[in-house]
Amino acid sequence: MSQQHSAAQDPTPRTASAVATATRRRDWWRDAVIYQVYPRSFADSDGDGMGDLEGVRTRLPYLRDLGVDAVWLSPFYASPQADAGYDVADYRAVDPMFGTLLDADALIRDAHELGLRIIVDLVPNHSSDQHEWFKRALAEGPGSPCRDRYHFRPGKGENGELPPNDWESIFGGPAWTRVEDGEWYLHLFAPEQPDFNWEHPAVGDEFRSILRFWLDMGVDGFRIDVAHGLVKAEGLPDLGDHDQLKLLGNDVMPFFDQDGVHEIYRQWRRILDEYSGERIFVAEAWTPTVERTAHYVRPDELHQAFNFQYLSTHWDAGELRGVIDRTLDAMRPVGAPSTWVLSNHDVTRHTTRFANPAGLGTQIRLPGDRELGLKRARAATLLMLALPGSAYVYQGEELGLPDVTDLPDEVRQDPAYFRGAGQDGFRDGCRVPIPWTRTGPSYGFGDGGSWLPQPEGWGELSVEAQTGVPGSTLELYRTALSVRRDQPDLGAGDTVEWLRAPEGVLAFRRGEFVCVANTTGESVTVPVHGRVLLSSGEVTEADGEAKVPGDTTVWWTTG
């Protein structure tokens, strides 16, 4: 007997009672599936080629029917867009390219009516160089109060011509820029993104006010950008003779993962707990180990932290089991849910990463086998959604979108690309606007083209082309999220029971649910574990045994 996932032909929207139940559900964040929207690339309502908040609002029913619990919006604040909005000039204003505060209010209200929660990005490590504070700091000169809100320092050398220390920007080159009066300011990212000095009380006061502003608007939480970077080591010491980029995420550094950040988040948590509705904080915290990541989600700090160790793991059963065990073991003592993620706006899409036989690294962009990448990506998705805790989905991955690897140089906007060192500067490839229809000037993204060019054939991966098509990646996601929501043994929890399996295969039980993931390229035979709920490829059963193809994941239930 052949078994394959049966796609929902026309997903049924949640009823009003289901929406109300989802909105009231306690500890919703422990097993939530959170969908990341990159607003400039999601949907364009006014035909200017740039996605906007009204475009997101009109597509909320699609996200409800997909089956996610919450929507995380990348920055839409007023910004010169030197780093796609992660350079914020005004934290209480919407950039005109995305709309207005009224648009943000309408989006939040509509989402709540549909049973969706809204999480917004918060960027507290740095501002834009066009932020009023920084402009005043430049104008008022050395020793002024506004300079103390950033990291201004005299340079080294006979005439101060050398940077104050040897720190390098994440985007490549020195982490310091000299201003006309001779002082230097710190920017761990682009020069247009000066780092705040969190030792100055005005900075903390300002961000506590910003939190309250958006909480009063009704947002359900914040994703904290560079949550590990706010506090710098006293004296800003040199790093010495190291390849700093190789240390990122692999070691504690004088500008990342300093213990002082935790008192900031304790203060923030007290503010959040004043509001009803179980609002949450999610940390983007690159740390050397999952054990240090767990520090950010202690009971009086943040609620979730991204699991970058899992995202960076190869498609290999041994490596995956290791990071799964370490993650669950690290989160269990602090009572926080584990999180699982495969793609986001900063890394090569996993469909493209998995297209290479070696299976990965977050930035691998070598030519690969598109079908292999998609097959592995589908299997990896079912594995991720079967694990205890919360999962994140990056827009377009439910369509099986690959990275766009052949963008012309003249259209690129990633600041790392122009720095000439550091990151490879190819983040634009995962940010190309997603396709909604088979045809049209931008495959349904909007009426006026798209800010990054979409490749030919993009329409065949569109929502329209995949909806109701058995075996399509979109229907796999819709069905998986529906099954996940309905199965009592899926979602929240902190343990898995590992089962015996052939080499290269992961098998585990959670109550009456069993997941088997074959990470090899060859078919394997395993015991039948009850009734097949879902599979990413065709599974054949006979005489109590199941033949699972290579790069395939299967869900069973014994109930």
Side-chain angles (χ1 to χ4, degrees), residues 237-251:
D238 283 340
L239 255 169
D241 188 19
H242 296 287
D243 185 335
Q244 295 186 27
L245 288 173
K246 289 185 178 179
L247 292 179
L248 293 176
N250 296 309
D251 204 350

Side-chain angles (χ1 to χ4, degrees), residues 42-44 53-65 114 116 434-437 443-446 463:
F42 192 65
D44 171 22
L53 295 183
E54 176 63 14
V56 177
R57 189 180 70 83
T58 63
R59 297 294 188 179
L60 288 175
Y62 164 79
L63 298 178
R64 174 206 52 198
D65 296 346
L114 292 169
L116 296 168
I434 67 174
W436 293 92
T437 59
Y443 302 108
F445 169 67
V463 173

Side-chain angles (χ1 to χ4, degrees), residues 512-513 529-531 556-559:
E512 296 181 342
F513 171 85
H529 293 284
R531 173 172 58 90
W556 275 286
T557 180
T558 59

Side-chain angles (χ1 to χ4, degrees), residues 207-221:
F207 274 90
R208 287 189 290 272
S209 174
I210 292 166
L211 288 176
R212 292 186 185 279
F213 178 88
W214 287 103
L215 289 167
D216 290 341
M217 284 275 289
V219 303
D220 299 286

Side-chain angles (χ1 to χ4, degrees), residues 85-298:
Y86 284 93
D87 51 317
V88 181
D90 187 343
Y91 290 84
R92 298 176 182 83
V94 173
D95 194 282
M97 75 165 59
F98 297 123
T100 67
L101 279 174
L102 289 176
D103 293 323
D105 180 71
L107 191 160
I108 294 166
R109 290 175 184 273
D110 280 13
H112 289 168
E113 289 180 3
L114 292 169
L116 296 168
R117 299 175 189 261
I118 294 292
I119 296 168
V120 297
D121 239 309
L122 188 67
V123 188
N125 180 71
H126 48 263
S127 74
S128 165
D129 62 353
Q130 298 304 303
H131 190 285
E132 187 60 32
W133 281 7
F134 193 75
K135 291 194 292 184
R136 284 172 53 193
L138 293 181
E140 293 173 6
S144 67
C146 274
R147 286 218 172 178
D148 291 341
R149 298 174 185 180
Y150 296 89
H151 293 279
F152 278 87
R153 296 288 188 277
K156 292 181 177 180
E158 185 175 347
N159 298 303
E161 71 277 8
L162 300 176
N165 68 20
D166 64 359
W167 295 358
E168 295 176 3
S169 164
I170 308 305
F171 291 158
W176 296 89
T177 289
R178 197 176 193 187
V179 300
E180 289 184 2
D181 55 46
E183 284 199 329
W184 298 72
Y185 69 88
L186 175 68
H187 53 86
L188 292 179
F189 294 87
E192 296 88 353
Q193 296 168 289
D195 278 46
F196 283 117
N197 174 18
W198 273 87
E199 299 297 323
H200 196 292
V203 177
D205 290 345
E206 171 69 356
F207 274 90
R208 287 189 290 272
S209 174
I210 292 166
L211 288 176
R212 292 186 185 279
F213 178 88
W214 287 103
L215 289 167
D216 290 341
M217 284 275 289
V219 303
D220 299 286
F222 301 87
R223 177 265 191 187
I224 305 168
D225 184 61
V226 196
H228 53 294
L230 278 55
V231 173
K232 277 67 174 175
E234 185 176 357
L236 309 184
D238 283 340
L239 255 169
D241 188 19
H242 296 287
D243 185 335
Q244 295 186 27
L245 288 173
K246 289 185 178 179
L247 292 179
L248 293 176
N250 296 309
D251 204 350
V252 177
M253 305 177 76
F255 48 78
F256 279 164
D257 199 26
Q258 295 290 305
D259 291 338
V261 299
H262 299 291
E263 179 54 33
I264 295 170
Y265 299 138
R266 293 186 189 101
Q267 294 177 19
W268 288 12
R269 178 61 179 265
R270 290 194 287 272
I271 292 174
L272 203 69
D273 287 346
E274 295 174 12
Y275 288 79
S276 63
E278 290 197 289
R279 323 283 179 107
I280 69 167
F281 285 122
V282 182
E284 182 206 29
W286 286 88
T287 66
T289 64
V290 289
E291 290 76 17
R292 285 197 67 87
T293 300
H295 293 171
Y296 290 79
V297 289
R298 289 175 285 201

Side-chain angles (χ1 to χ4, degrees), residues 29-30 283 285 287 289-299 302-309 323-340 388-390 493-495:
W29 44 275
R30 290 189 174 276
T287 66
T289 64
V290 289
E291 290 76 17
R292 285 197 67 87
T293 300
H295 293 171
Y296 290 79
V297 289
R298 289 175 285 201
L302 310 179
H303 296 77
Q304 293 185 353
F306 286 143
N307 190 345
F308 292 112
Q309 284 79 14
V323 75
I324 291 167
D325 282 341
R326 289 193 302 274
T327 298
L328 295 173
D329 289 345
M331 296 298 145
R332 197 176 297 117
V334 295
S338 298
T339 65
W340 315 100
S390 179
D494 60 13
T495 59

Side-chain angles (χ1 to χ4, degrees), residues 286-408:
W286 286 88
T287 66
T289 64
V290 289
E291 290 76 17
R292 285 197 67 87
T293 300
H295 293 171
Y296 290 79
V297 289
R298 289 175 285 201
D300 60 345
E301 293 188 45
L302 310 179
H303 296 77
Q304 293 185 353
F306 286 143
N307 190 345
F308 292 112
Q309 284 79 14
Y310 185 77
L311 183 150
S312 303
T313 301
H314 295 136
W315 181 238
D316 174 88
E319 289 188 37
L320 286 164
R321 178 167 175 170
V323 75
I324 291 167
D325 282 341
R326 289 193 302 274
T327 298
L328 295 173
D329 289 345
M331 296 298 145
R332 197 176 297 117
V334 295
S338 298
T339 65
W340 315 100
V341 61
L342 293 168
S343 285
N344 64 36
H345 66 292
D346 279 334
V347 301
T348 300
R349 288 183 178 276
H350 60 282
T351 301
T352 295
R353 299 200 317 268
F354 290 178
N356 297 280
L360 311 163
T362 59
Q363 298 292 345
I364 287 179
R365 298 171 53 82
L366 299 172
D369 182 335
R370 157 78 176 149
E371 293 304 316
L372 173 64
L374 182 58
K375 189 177 183 182
R376 286 175 167 176
R378 289 160 56 94
T381 294
L382 290 194
L383 172 61
M384 174 183 76
L385 292 175
L387 294 170
S390 179
Y392 281 77
V393 174
Y394 176 52
Q395 65 175 48
E397 73 172 74
E398 76 276 17
L399 304 176
L401 296 186
D403 253 44
V404 179
T405 57
D406 57 354
L407 289 170

